[in-house]
Amino acid sequence: MNIINKLTFRQLKLNKRRTLVTIIGVIISVAMVMAVATLTVSFIDLLRRQTIIQGGEWHVLYKGINADQLGAIKGDRLTKDVAITRDRGYAVLKGSKNDYKPYLFIKEYDSQGFKQLPVELAEGRLPEANDEVVISEHIATNGKVEYEIGDVLELDIGNRLIEGETGESYELGQNNPFQKIHGDEKRESLRIKESRSYKIVGVIKRPTWEPISAPGYTIISYLDESLMGPSDLFNASVVFNKVNQSVYGHVEGFAGANDIGPESVTFNNELLRYSGAISDDNTRKTLYSLSAIIMIIIMVGSISLIYNAFAISVSERSRYLGMLSGIGATRKQKRNGVLFEGLVIGLVSIPTGIICGIAGMYVTFTFINTLIQGVFGIAERLRVIVTPLSILVASLVSAITILISAYIPAKRASKVSAIDAIRQSMDVRLTRKAVKTSRTVRALFGIEAEIGLKNLKRNKRRYRATVFSLIVSIILFLTVSFFTNDLRKAVRMTQARINYDIYMNANVDIDDGSIESIKSLPDIYEYSRVRKLYTYSWIEEEFVPEGLRDGGTEFRDGRYLYGIEVQALDDDSLSRFAKIAGADYEKLIDPNDLSAIVIDTITYPDEGMGKFVETKAIKARVGHKLDFINIDWEREVETDINSVKIIALTGESPMGVDPSPLGVINIVISERLMDSFVGSGENDPGFWDNLYLRSNNPIKTQEEIEKIQAVGLYIHNVYKQRQEEEQLILLMSVFIYGFITLITAISIANIFNTISTSIVLRKREFAMLKSVGMTPKSFNRMINYESIFYGIKSLLYGLPISVAVMFLIHCSMEDSFEFGFSLPWRDVVIVIVAIFVIVGSTMLYSGGKIKKENIMDGLKQEII
């Protein structure tokens, strides 16, 4: 170690406070980078494990393959494991007490299938022969049919069929609810194809992949590959030994070479995505561009924090650097001394920051796991996943950040001359013009404001460093908040946005007695009755958004034909929705007023452009009228129904009103107005009565509803799908708010470090002011005005730059999602208030410490 480095090391030990502040700043920066890397990897790991639990571990499924094709699959270079499965068919469950679930659904797994696919054994063992079976515990709890391990099932197995309008028969599966007899409606039939005997050897928990409305209870037997004939067909679930972006092309080529049709190939896109393979170029481009922007934001924030620490350190040590020049130190030696300081701080801070980042994520995950498992019922826990790559990336990013942060102060230090340093005239270059202030400042705010402003002007480097720190903090918070809001919006655009657990529909009015019985069930905490009528309206071209004019809808006499989904809500639901939409409820329930709320925002997947699009369905105005018509397409006859006046436009949807597709508008009216549409109660084509429920126990509620036996009522339980949507949004929110917390922490640390150190360096200046008669009250006023000047200047630069960066983020998402750009005004207000609060409190805290010091000690202070 040469003499300069020894002196530098000694200076670090002598100035413990400054060294500690710099090290803490670097540790925060490194911890943030490591935490982001760990959070990202751990979050993806959770999604991957959750996907495996819900749907099993497989990357591609080949359906309906034969023995030769199976041999080719096993011999494929990408194949690691293959699970063979087959759907045997349905058999009648004798004695079932659930009229909507009268069947057993028989599946067959080989030994690998029981390992790869989600089967949770509750009692007994798994089948090991093709005449053994495990049954779902749901048979006893829901179907009220009791079986014991060792019982033998004699089953006549077949396929579910239903006759279509043309007389053809269609096969039904587990996703098709049981078709009960209602009036003259034709019931499904079971076509028997074989009879088999099975011995029960175990009981499994209800499979996660079994649809809630499935008509058959799942039972699983053993599939013995050695007993398969050349003409037998089955399914193969394949796990790849290596997952990358080329697997899609490889599978397509493999399927074509082995006569496996495209319709027989299904990719597990979720698991592939979380394993690192993405087939959608737009999605990949979006992820890459967003990652680049976020990494730049992190690096800018880190560089700002560390640079300010080094810049202030060099400013503090200006006299020491001048003394080195006076005894013959070269520019290179002085520069290397500062870089050596960066090296020492990095060697201490980087390992500590990495450990702190990992520890912080561990503590965070401990609290989060309690929430996501206890409250939201997510099966898997967040694990802290630390990979060598994430440590390497965090170390490299941090090292580069420290190097960039230290280089500019080091270059500046190399130019310090002995005379300037000893006189300490580098930072302060005074001219009359440089410190000139407006007379208005003094007239409006007094002498304290003028002195405060002159203080900022006379030390521009320190002032600019502080303002730059504030600007970076503003940009960090606003851009990350905007990014996370857009990300949440993008996630919601890909979801069906189901806001209910159970819905029931009928093509007649549901009788009031049945509705009251259902509403009174103990677990139901919210309900909505929605009567739906599908009709049409001719919309003038000026009200049709340009993007929808080529949507294939009919155009005549300057008007476009729109589909209209009329949604009539019950009074309670309508009252709640009217408040959300800002509509007058009294006008809505007045049958003579003919008023309606239009849901004017739609989201749809644009297959041609390969992205999700959010747009206005109609550019109507409040007060505009819509004329409804019925169309008899066979006779090509149009019949006027009625007209309604739009009294509110909204992008929100009430419970039970699903987002409308392209070329269709949802409008919400009262039940009284709907009665005027359908006349005296005659069934209008497209008219359905629906009841939507939210329940604390959807499965139990469905069972209780089925006991009511309302005529013509179809029950659909969608709580599992809704739960999966909410879980995805919850997990995304965990990632989002974790990231915002990290950004906020580094921003506050940056501001506090810069301002407090800057105040400490001005001890002599404050002592001089007090020596010429400045009172503590005037001192506080000066500090307050300086805080205001800092805040105003940083906001004037920070807000426009933030808007520009936010627009870049928005543009980067347009490859996969298209929606309007909107500023997060709530976050802007938060930033404006927070900047003044943080700056003011930091300056008052630091100034309060200076205020207590003796004037003579401050004037005599020598910075060593």
Side-chain angles (χ1 to χ4, degrees):
M1 184 182 294
N2 60 42
I3 187 64
I4 297 295
N5 290 347
K6 286 181 180 178
L7 288 171
T8 301
F9 195 71
R10 184 183 177 190
Q11 285 294 314
L12 289 173
K13 290 195 293 184
L14 287 174
N15 294 276
K16 290 185 176 65
R17 182 186 178 280
R18 186 193 68 227
T19 303
L20 184 62
V21 168
T22 306
I23 287 175
I24 290 174
V26 178
I27 287 174
I28 291 174
S29 172
V30 176
M32 189 191 76
V33 174
M34 188 64 208
V36 169
T38 304
L39 183 63
T40 303
V41 175
S42 301
F43 180 67
I44 292 174
D45 172 73
L46 174 63
L47 292 177
R48 187 183 63 81
R49 289 184 287 114
Q50 187 74 10
T51 301
I52 291 174
I53 279 185
Q54 291 175 346
E57 185 178 11
W58 56 277
H59 295 123
V60 64
L61 172 65
Y62 297 99
K63 299 178 182 177
I65 61 171
N66 56 38
D68 292 337
Q69 291 167 332
L70 176 62
I73 292 170
K74 289 183 175 180
D76 183 37
R77 62 180 175 82
L78 282 186
T79 299
K80 177 184 177 183
D81 293 309
V82 180
I84 307 171
T85 65
R86 179 169 60 181
D87 294 346
R88 197 84 193 188
Y90 291 87
V92 174
L93 174 61
K94 297 176 182 177
S96 174
K97 299 298 187 294
N98 187 341
D99 291 339
Y100 289 86
K101 205 156 186 166
Y103 300 121
L104 296 173
F105 177 58
I106 303 97
K107 291 184 73 72
E108 295 178 335
Y109 287 2
D110 70 347
S111 56
Q112 185 63 32
F114 285 110
K115 297 176 183 177
Q116 274 181 221
L117 304 175
V119 177
E120 188 176 353
L121 191 65
E123 185 182 354
R125 63 173 176 85
L126 295 173
E128 298 170 354
N130 62 355
D131 61 348
E132 295 179 342
V133 72
V134 287
I135 64 172
S136 171
E137 63 182 7
H138 201 48
I139 295 174
T141 58
N142 182 263
K144 309 303 180 184
V145 179
E146 299 287 344
Y147 287 113
E148 301 290 338
I149 293 178
D151 289 350
V152 176
L153 300 176
E154 299 288 345
L155 303 178
D156 296 322
I157 303 172
N159 298 325
R160 295 170 59 215
L161 299 174
I162 192 168
E163 186 177 319
E165 295 180 0
T166 59
E168 295 182 62
S169 292
Y170 297 93
E171 191 170 323
L172 302 176
Q174 282 285 79
N175 289 317
N176 304 115
F178 179 63
Q179 308 297 306
K180 289 189 68 174
I181 296 178
H182 297 299
D184 296 330
E185 185 180 335
K186 294 184 179 179
R187 179 184 176 176
E188 68 175 71
S189 61
L190 187 65
R191 183 179 295 173
I192 305 301
K193 59 182 180 181
E194 61 177 324
S195 297
R196 291 183 64 88
S197 298
Y198 293 102
K199 180 181 178 181
I200 300 174
V201 296
V203 178
I204 60 172
K205 294 186 179 295
R206 182 178 183 174
T208 57
W209 36 262
E210 180 186 285
I212 295 296
S213 58
Y217 299 96
T218 302
I219 66 174
I220 306 175
S221 181
Y222 181 76
L223 178 60
D224 191 341
E225 186 182 348
S226 63
L227 300 179
M228 301 290 291
S231 61
D232 289 334
L233 301 178
F234 39 86
N235 305 323
S237 301
V238 180
V239 177
F240 296 138
N241 52 36
K242 183 179 180 182
V243 177
N244 53 42
Q245 295 164 7
S246 65
V247 296
Y248 289 91
H250 173 81
V251 169
E252 290 171 3
F254 173 83
N258 290 277
D259 296 326
I260 302 175
E263 70 283 354
S264 299
V265 179
T266 301
F267 290 100
N268 191 345
N269 289 311
E270 278 194 73
L271 186 57
L272 285 168
R273 179 178 292 109
Y274 303 142
S275 301
I278 303 174
S279 63
D280 191 329
D281 289 334
N282 285 338
T283 303
R284 184 165 61 250
K285 186 177 179 182
T286 299
L287 289 175
Y288 286 167
S289 56
L290 286 175
S291 299
I293 291 172
I294 293 303
M295 286 307 296
I296 290 171
I297 290 172
I298 293 172
M299 287 194 68
V300 168
S302 301
I303 289 171
S304 169
L305 176 63
I306 302 170
Y307 167 79
N308 285 336
F310 279 107
I312 292 170
S313 171
V314 169
S315 187
E316 273 191 24
R317 295 193 297 143
S318 57
R319 182 167 293 186
Y320 156 73
L321 293 169
M323 291 169 58
L324 290 180
S325 297
I327 59 175
T330 65
R331 285 190 172 190
K332 183 177 180 181
Q333 286 175 319
K334 290 186 290 181
R335 184 191 65 206
N336 290 344
V338 178
L339 293 176
F340 178 75
E341 179 182 342
L343 175 64
V344 172
I345 289 174
L347 290 175
V348 175
S349 304
I350 290 178
T352 308
I354 288 174
I355 293 170
C356 289
I358 296 171
M361 285 298 95
Y362 178 81
V363 173
T364 304
F365 288 177
T366 300
F367 286 103
I368 289 174
N369 283 329
T370 304
L371 173 67
I372 65 177
Q373 287 189 307
V375 180
F376 292 93
I378 296 176
E380 287 297 288
R381 297 172 61 88
L382 273 164
R383 302 183 305 192
V384 177
I385 304 297
V386 182
T387 64
L389 181 61
S390 62
I391 294 177
L392 179 63
V393 168
S395 300
L396 285 176
V397 170
S398 301
I400 293 170
T401 301
I402 293 172
L403 177 63
I404 295 173
S405 303
Y407 180 76
I408 297 175
K411 190 174 179 181
R412 180 184 165 202
S414 69
K415 297 178 181 179
V416 175
S417 67
I419 298 299
D420 285 343
I422 292 170
R423 293 172 59 194
Q424 292 189 312
S425 61
M426 310 87 60
D427 292 333
V428 181
R429 305 284 185 182
L430 285 178
T431 65
R432 184 171 183 177
K433 184 178 179 181
V435 295
K436 184 178 180 182
T437 58
S438 171
R439 292 182 180 179
T440 308
V441 173
R442 184 168 184 175
L444 291 177
F445 305 110
I447 186 67
E448 296 88 355
E450 184 177 17
I451 294 174
L453 189 56
K454 285 183 182 290
N455 284 334
L456 302 181
K457 287 175 173 285
R458 64 186 286 271
N459 194 341
K460 286 194 173 181
R461 279 183 176 163
R462 203 175 289 159
Y463 170 55
R464 286 169 181 166
T466 305
V467 171
F468 177 74
S469 176
L470 292 169
I471 290 171
V472 169
S473 300
I474 293 169
I475 296 170
L476 281 172
F477 184 83
L478 283 182
T479 52
V480 170
S481 298
F482 176 81
F483 164 71
T484 52
N485 286 336
D486 269 18
L487 188 62
R488 188 184 293 111
K489 191 171 187 178
V491 170
R492 290 187 181 277
M493 285 175 68
T494 64
Q495 306 300 309
R497 287 183 283 178
I498 297 173
N499 53 10
Y500 47 87
D501 297 317
I502 297 172
Y503 79 93
M504 291 150 284
N505 58 355
N507 59 356
V508 295
D509 275 328
I510 305 173
D511 66 276
D512 293 337
S514 297
I515 291 177
E516 290 301 319
S517 299
I518 292 170
K519 283 164 49 179
S520 63
L521 294 176
D523 291 310
I524 293 174
Y525 62 90
E526 187 177 353
Y527 80 95
S528 176
R529 184 184 185 184
V530 185
R531 296 165 68 197
K532 302 192 176 191
L533 176 70
Y534 194 90
T535 183
Y536 299 91
S537 180
W538 288 100
I539 307 295
E540 290 80 359
E541 186 174 6
E542 61 181 295
F543 298 120
V544 178
E546 293 181 4
L548 302 183
R549 294 178 184 177
D550 298 325
T553 187
E554 188 174 341
F555 180 71
R556 183 200 304 169
D557 299 330
R559 297 184 301 173
Y560 286 86
L561 182 65
Y562 261 66
I564 306 292
E565 289 192 4
V566 183
Q567 319 274 355
L569 304 185
D570 64 89
D571 289 346
D572 291 339
S573 302
L574 185 64
S575 176
R576 291 194 298 268
F577 184 60
K579 291 180 181 178
I580 295 172
D584 186 343
Y585 173 68
E586 296 301 326
K587 288 185 177 181
L588 289 168
I589 61 175
D590 184 352
N592 299 317
D593 201 280
L594 304 180
S595 298
I597 301 171
V598 171
I599 302 173
D600 65 342
T601 304
I602 61 171
T603 300
Y604 67 95
D606 190 316
E607 301 295 340
M609 300 173 67
K611 61 182 177 182
F612 286 86
V613 178
E614 181 183 84
T615 185
K616 291 293 183 182
I618 185 173
K619 297 193 293 186
R621 299 181 298 270
V622 172
H624 179 76
K625 283 193 173 183
L626 293 176
D627 300 320
F628 297 156
I629 58 172
N630 263 345
I631 300 179
D632 187 331
W633 294 102
E634 293 183 1
R635 297 186 298 161
E636 297 184 353
V637 175
E638 297 181 5
T639 307
D640 292 333
I641 301 179
N642 216 327
S643 297
V644 297
K645 181 176 65 176
I646 300 173
I647 64 168
L649 297 161
T650 181
E652 301 296 324
S653 297
M655 185 169 76
V657 177
D658 299 323
S660 60
L662 197 63
V664 178
I665 305 172
N666 268 320
I667 75 158
V668 176
I669 62 173
S670 67
E671 289 184 321
R672 297 169 182 81
L673 187 53
M674 174 66 87
D675 290 337
S676 69
F677 284 2
V678 297
S680 58
E682 296 179 4
N683 292 340
D684 194 291
F687 169 69
W688 283 81
D689 200 359
N690 304 266
L691 192 62
Y692 296 87
L693 309 172
R694 297 188 71 174
S695 169
N696 293 316
N697 191 337
I699 294 179
K700 180 182 176 183
T701 298
Q702 180 183 352
E703 294 172 358
E704 292 170 338
I705 293 172
E706 289 168 352
K707 294 176 183 177
I708 295 174
Q709 295 290 328
V711 177
L713 198 62
Y714 293 86
I715 304 173
H716 309 269
N717 196 322
V718 295
Y719 95 97
K720 183 181 176 183
Q721 184 179 352
R722 174 172 168 264
Q723 186 183 48
E724 289 175 358
E725 285 187 10
E726 290 184 347
Q727 287 176 359
L728 178 60
I729 293 171
L730 167 71
L731 294 175
M732 189 62 66
S733 297
V734 168
F735 175 81
I736 285 168
Y737 289 115
F739 195 49
I740 287 180
T741 301
L742 290 170
I743 291 296
T744 303
I746 197 170
S747 298
I748 293 174
N750 194 0
I751 296 170
F752 185 84
N753 182 35
T754 304
I755 294 178
S756 62
T757 309
S758 176
I759 292 291
V760 169
L761 291 177
R762 294 168 60 189
K763 284 183 180 180
R764 285 171 133 194
E765 174 191 321
F766 293 148
M768 182 200 68
L769 290 172
K770 286 189 281 187
S771 71
V772 296
M774 178 173 276
T775 64
K777 184 177 180 181
S778 295
F779 180 82
N780 286 337
R781 284 169 61 88
M782 182 187 72
I783 291 293
N784 289 335
Y785 282 125
E786 285 192 30
S787 303
I788 293 171
F789 294 144
Y790 277 130
I792 292 174
K793 191 67 172 285
S794 61
L795 289 169
L796 286 175
Y797 286 98
L799 292 179
I801 296 173
S802 297
V803 172
V805 177
M806 285 188 280
F807 186 73
L808 287 176
I809 292 175
H810 178 77
C811 292
S812 71
M813 298 189 73
E814 286 192 338
D815 290 309
S816 298
F817 303 94
E818 184 177 312
F819 48 84
F821 175 77
S822 59
L823 291 175
W825 292 110
R826 181 178 63 90
D827 293 329
V828 170
V829 172
I830 290 173
V831 161
I832 293 172
V833 173
I835 282 294
F836 288 110
V837 170
I838 294 171
V839 172
S841 57
T842 303
M843 293 196 71
L844 285 174
Y845 168 76
S846 304
K849 295 178 70 176
I850 298 294
K851 226 173 11 174
K852 297 175 184 177
E853 296 199 356
N854 185 277
I855 294 176
M856 294 304 297
D857 290 340
L859 290 172
K860 292 189 299 182
Q861 183 188 16
E862 295 290 333
I863 302 176
I864 299 175

